[in-house]
């Protein structure tokens, strides 16, 4: 009798777990207007391929030589940030430091120098 009572209680507990409706939690719907998650810097192999191609470009070599001749310093390729804000658009930020140590980001879009952005 004790075994039958144990089996019946076990079946009752199992059925209550699977039959009850429970509490469903819904994730928030993503906002279609927000593209901020797309503006995170790339990392890994994809970033390294883009940076390698960028470092060998004539546009970067010219800009780098000009900046180094005026007293700016550069910490190397590991400081370069790559962002893909839209399809077919590659935005690259290269930090250079003035003689006073003030950082300045030189921005290139699709390999073409477009301007300077102060570092935060």
């Amino acid at each position: 009798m004790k075994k039958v009572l144990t089996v019946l209680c076990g079946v009752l507990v199992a059925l209550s777990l699977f039959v009850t409706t429970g509490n469903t939690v819904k994730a928030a719907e993503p906002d279609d207007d927000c593209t901020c998650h797309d503006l995170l810097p790339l990392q890994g192999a994809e970033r390294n391929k883009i940076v390698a191609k960028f470092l060998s470009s004539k546009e970067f070599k010219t800009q780098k030589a000009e900046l180094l001749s005026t007293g700016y310093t550069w910490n190397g390729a590991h400081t370069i940030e790559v962002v893909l804000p839209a399809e077919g658009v590659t935005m690259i930020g290269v930090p250079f430091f003035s003689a006073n140590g003030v950082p300045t980001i030189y921005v290139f879009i699709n390999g073409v120098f477009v301007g300077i952005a102060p570092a935060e």
Side-chain angles (χ1 to χ4, degrees), residues 1-11:
M1 182 71 177
K2 194 173 186 181
K3 290 182 182 181
V4 173
L5 186 60
T6 305
V7 170
L8 285 176
C9 288
V11 169

Side-chain angles (χ1 to χ4, degrees), residues 21-51:
T21 58
N23 188 8
T24 59
V25 178
K26 294 183 179 178
E29 293 293 323
D31 186 11
D32 293 334
D33 296 334
C34 177
T35 58
C36 54
H37 60 277
D38 295 336
L39 297 179
L40 295 176
L42 284 178
Q43 296 179 348
E46 186 178 0
R47 176 210 172 268
N48 292 343
K49 289 177 189 176
I50 293 170
V51 169

Side-chain angles (χ1 to χ4, degrees), residues 2 8 10 23 30 37 57 74 76 78-79 82-83 100 107 111 118 120:
K2 194 173 186 181
L8 285 176
N23 188 8
H37 60 277
S57 72
W74 179 49
H78 67 280
T79 59
V82 179
V83 178
N100 300 339
V107 180
E120 295 179 4

Side-chain angles (χ1 to χ4, degrees), residues 36-112:
C36 54
H37 60 277
D38 295 336
L39 297 179
L40 295 176
L42 284 178
Q43 296 179 348
E46 186 178 0
R47 176 210 172 268
N48 292 343
K49 289 177 189 176
I50 293 170
V51 169
K53 184 176 179 182
F54 172 71
L55 290 177
S56 65
S57 72
K58 184 176 180 180
E59 183 83 18
F60 173 71
K61 288 179 181 178
T62 303
Q63 194 70 34
K64 178 183 163 190
E66 181 181 315
L67 289 168
L68 292 178
S69 68
T70 58
Y72 279 81
T73 58
W74 179 49
N75 286 340
H78 67 280
T79 59
I80 295 175
E81 290 192 4
V82 179
V83 178
L84 302 175
E87 190 173 329
V89 177
T90 304
M91 190 164 72
I92 300 173
V94 183
F96 282 92
F97 294 87
S98 69
N100 300 339
V102 177
T104 306
I105 307 290
Y106 283 75
V107 180
F108 297 81
I109 295 181
N110 291 340
V112 178

